[in-house]
Amino acid sequence: MVAFWITCIVGHQILINQIERLDNQFKNLIVVRKIIAAAPSKEDIMLLQFSKSEERVFLAMNGGTGEVAAQLLPYPGGKIIASRLLPGASIGLHRHETSTDINFVLSGTGTALCDRVEEPLTPGCCHICPKGSSHSLTNTGSQDLVLLTVVAEG
């Protein structure tokens, strides 16, 4: 508690920024939980249609910067995500405790940092973050970085 008050006194703006970041992460988490709750029926599992999924905008995803627009479709054993990182946007460093992320780059350029190794992201490449690893993604280009991501649980 003492540290909290010291933070308030020393860096009021820092505290406000942290609260805004946590608020954005909380809002993003609520949106993701609502999407997962609306999982497809068994009849829909073989054909996932992004055209029937609303695109959501996430601010400062996982402590990153900027906006990430995504359509998330859950399926048994994971989810498939079509996403766009706007120029300058990033998805902050986060750990995959229970899943493997497979990110296929459709267009744009960027970088992935996985377990402290930086990799370039270019159209046609595939970045894999294995279960138990940590990674972040950054759009370094002037166009949207467009990804199709498969999240495999287990």
Side-chain angles (χ1 to χ4, degrees), residues 79-98:
K79 54 190 163 272
I80 298 178
I81 307 165
S83 61
R84 295 182 302 115
L85 282 75
L86 278 58
S90 67
I91 298 173
L93 186 66
H94 59 285
R95 187 170 177 82
H96 285 272
E97 295 290 344
T98 63

Side-chain angles (χ1 to χ4, degrees), residues 57-69:
V57 176
F58 299 91
L59 303 175
M61 185 173 243
N62 291 324
T65 59
E67 294 182 0
V68 176

Side-chain angles (χ1 to χ4, degrees), residues 89-132:
S90 67
I91 298 173
L93 186 66
H94 59 285
R95 187 170 177 82
H96 285 272
E97 295 290 344
T98 63
S99 65
T100 294
D101 253 20
I102 303 164
N103 301 280
F104 183 74
V105 180
L106 298 173
S107 63
T109 57
T111 58
L113 181 66
C114 187
D115 293 335
R116 299 186 195 143
V117 176
E118 188 173 290
E119 304 167 336
L121 298 177
T122 57
C125 79
C126 189
H127 161 69
I128 299 174
C129 178
K131 178 180 174 180

Side-chain angles (χ1 to χ4, degrees), residues 29-40 72-75 78-79 153:
L29 180 61
I30 289 174
V31 169
V32 169
R33 284 188 178 162
K34 286 180 183 177
I35 293 169
I36 290 172
L72 187 148
L73 295 174
Y75 72 93
K79 54 190 163 272
E153 294 290 339

Side-chain angles (χ1 to χ4, degrees), residues 121-143:
L121 298 177
T122 57
C125 79
C126 189
H127 161 69
I128 299 174
C129 178
K131 178 180 174 180
S133 293
S134 298
H135 76 145
S136 64
L137 304 169
T138 302
N139 181 346
T140 59
S142 59
Q143 303 293 318

